[in-house]
Amino acid sequence: MNRRLDPADSLDFFPTPPWATRALLTHVIPDAIGMCWEPAAGEGHMAEVLREHFERVHASDIHDYGRGYAVGSFAGRTDVPQAPARCPVVPDWIITNPPFNGAVDFALRARGEARRGVALLVRLNWAEGERRYTRLFRDTPPSTIAQFVERVAMVKGRWEPDASTMTAYAWFVWDRTCTPNTTIFKFIPPGCRQRLTRPDDVEKFSARVATEKETTP
């Protein structure tokens, strides 16, 4: 259930439901302020929600999805022609839904660049694995692992509000203001999907899905 059988050169574009980002900002890091960088922005499903909360948001991606975001490789890919992604100023936070196979590289670079913290939306089983533990968690464990009680359904290439999934997701957060080498596990409570979905989300973020459905013979 947890495997994504994509080709090696896949962009691994699984848009984040808007409510899942609002859940992070509401229940996990409500006091996050300043400048935020979203380095795997895709079509803006997370970046535009971050703009609701932060004073300034810089969005970039390895691929140009036509949203006017900066184009550059943040981490984990050496087989693409894009120059490394850069942020115009030092960000207070780096928040993203990284490609699964490059998530450790994202975490390592982000922790070195963010002034205060990093938040990555990943599958819960990302906590497993000796190699990942050795490279990342042993010396720099997250300050918080926030597990969604509800399932966060993601579909490759688009956001489908009514999609379902068997995969469990969590926010892994590194916050420099928290006690070092101490990880807090917490639950993101049920009801977020309904409570944090806004009436205009479908119009803003799932227009592509509507267009595809309308043009399907």
Side-chain angles (χ1 to χ4, degrees), residues 54-70:
F54 286 94
E55 291 88 342
R56 184 180 178 189
V57 174
H58 177 66
S60 66
D61 200 284
I62 194 171
H63 177 71
D64 184 357
Y65 287 91
R67 290 300 303 268
Y69 301 146

Side-chain angles (χ1 to χ4, degrees), residues 43-126:
E43 295 178 352
H45 294 77
M46 183 180 292
E48 297 308 313
V49 175
L50 293 171
R51 294 188 198 280
E52 301 168 2
H53 182 91
F54 286 94
E55 291 88 342
R56 184 180 178 189
V57 174
H58 177 66
S60 66
D61 200 284
I62 194 171
H63 177 71
D64 184 357
Y65 287 91
R67 290 300 303 268
Y69 301 146
V71 178
S73 175
F74 185 78
R77 293 290 294 272
T78 59
D79 59 335
V80 292
Q82 285 87 347
R86 294 285 183 264
C87 191
V89 299
V90 177
D92 296 289
W93 284 87
I94 295 179
I95 299 174
T96 192
N97 172 1
F100 184 79
N101 290 331
V104 172
D105 292 322
F106 266 68
L108 291 171
R109 178 179 173 184
R111 289 193 72 260
E113 296 200 20
R115 181 181 287 113
R116 174 174 169 182
V118 174
L120 302 183
L121 178 61
V122 293
R123 286 174 277 175
L124 182 60
N125 67 0
W126 195 61

Side-chain angles (χ1 to χ4, degrees), residues 146-201:
Q147 166 69 48
F148 281 94
V149 173
E150 298 172 274
R151 290 297 169 89
V152 182
M154 300 189 209
V155 178
K156 185 167 186 178
R158 62 194 185 278
W159 173 48
E160 291 190 3
D162 298 323
S164 61
T165 183
M166 295 294 292
T167 303
Y169 284 89
W171 282 103
F172 282 61
V173 179
W174 289 262
D175 187 340
R176 297 184 190 278
T177 67
C178 295
T179 304
N181 299 315
T182 301
T183 301
I184 296 173
F185 183 91
K186 66 183 301 180
F187 291 103
I188 297 176
C192 286
R193 179 172 181 169
Q194 179 177 0
R195 186 172 63 256
L196 299 178
T197 295
R198 297 185 176 182
D200 62 344
D201 281 346

